[in-house]
Amino acid sequence: MYNPTVARLTYRALLGRRRALILFLLPAMLLAISAAIRVLNGADDQAAADVLGGFALATMVPLIGVIAGTGAIGPEIDDGSIVYLLSKPVKRPTIIFTKLIVAIAVTMAFSAVPTLIAGFILNGNGQQVAVAYTVAALVASITYSALFLLLGTVSRHAVVIGLVYALVWETLFGSLIAGARTLSVQQWALALAEKVTGGGLVTSDVGLPTAVVLLVAVTVAATWFAGQKLRRLTLAGEE
């Protein structure tokens, strides 16, 4: 299910000069903000939770997920180079699964790792805040990558749609409309973070069992649909 050649090509595409600059920018901002807050306010558990929840999980993780998820396959479909890959003796589910693994790895590396470092900078992991938000970033990275990889296979405007979801639905509607939070990857991930901290500083509007089921279901469904879309694209190309 994992093809090293496909993975190498996908890593090369995702970590090209332009995308790498964007991928490094958001974590750098998080670390700079965290360092400034620590210097000005000292160790503060509430400030750590606010920064990691408000910027790292709510903004940085989904944006990096958009870049990695859509970038793993979208550009190849847009410029037609996917035909070359599909002509090789590699199973279509293997292509999707490999690209998903790469997208997850990139998203985790550029979001979960900086989140952990930022948490230790802010309050030295007081009340397990750094670990809690790192766990949330890790699980959110998986689901975001699957969702945005699916978007990359079904639409030429995947980046725009992904940004609308990340910035409008997750951030704006999620903060204003209670019902929208139930359908938010961010809230599902926060349910695991809440479990780590024991509540208080980190809370979620979704219960842990529901969150786990939704995270798994959405990830599996998005990956399956992406594979089906790629299969149909192959048949259309052959015809």
Side-chain angles (χ1 to χ4, degrees):
M1 291 297 292
Y2 182 84
N3 186 283
T5 301
V6 175
R8 184 173 64 255
L9 294 172
T10 307
Y11 275 118
R12 185 180 301 171
L14 285 178
L15 300 177
R17 184 175 301 175
R18 184 185 304 175
R19 284 195 178 89
L21 179 61
I22 299 175
L23 288 171
F24 277 107
L25 179 61
L26 289 169
M29 289 176 60
L30 172 64
L31 295 178
I33 292 171
S34 301
I37 291 175
R38 179 60 185 265
V39 169
L40 295 174
N41 294 336
D44 187 311
D45 294 343
Q46 186 60 58
D50 290 342
V51 172
L52 297 182
F55 182 79
L57 187 62
T59 303
M60 184 181 71
V61 179
L63 287 180
I64 291 177
V66 169
I67 297 169
T70 60
I73 196 169
E76 291 176 297
I77 294 178
D78 291 343
D79 63 21
S81 61
I82 190 70
V83 175
Y84 173 79
L85 181 59
L86 297 179
S87 67
K88 301 301 178 181
V90 182
K91 294 181 179 179
R92 306 309 177 247
T94 298
I95 294 174
I96 289 295
F97 185 76
T98 301
K99 288 182 173 294
L100 175 62
I101 293 300
V102 172
I104 290 172
V106 171
T107 305
M108 286 182 174
F110 285 92
S111 61
V113 174
T115 297
L116 180 63
I117 297 172
F120 275 95
I121 291 174
L122 285 162
N123 74 333
N125 194 37
Q127 299 193 49
Q128 296 293 307
V129 171
V131 171
Y133 277 104
T134 300
V135 170
L138 288 171
V139 296
S141 295
I142 298 172
T143 303
Y144 280 133
S145 296
L147 278 174
F148 297 135
L149 180 67
L150 172 62
L151 277 179
T153 64
V154 301
S155 174
R156 291 180 177 273
H157 307 290
V159 174
V160 175
I161 298 172
L163 290 174
V164 169
Y165 174 81
L167 298 178
V168 177
W169 180 266
E170 290 270 2
T171 303
L172 181 59
F173 287 174
S175 64
L176 299 177
I177 304 174
R181 299 182 193 129
T182 306
L183 301 176
S184 166
V185 175
Q186 177 188 340
Q187 290 297 320
W188 304 342
L190 279 173
L192 278 80
E194 182 179 5
K195 178 66 175 180
V196 174
T197 62
L201 285 175
V202 185
T203 59
S204 172
D205 292 334
V206 181
L208 181 59
T210 301
V212 172
V213 170
L214 289 172
L215 284 166
V216 173
V218 169
T219 301
V220 172
T223 304
W224 184 82
F225 276 115
Q228 293 303 304
K229 173 62 178 177
L230 193 63
R231 190 187 304 275
R232 289 195 295 270
L233 178 63
T234 303
L235 293 175
E238 291 172 351
E239 292 173 357

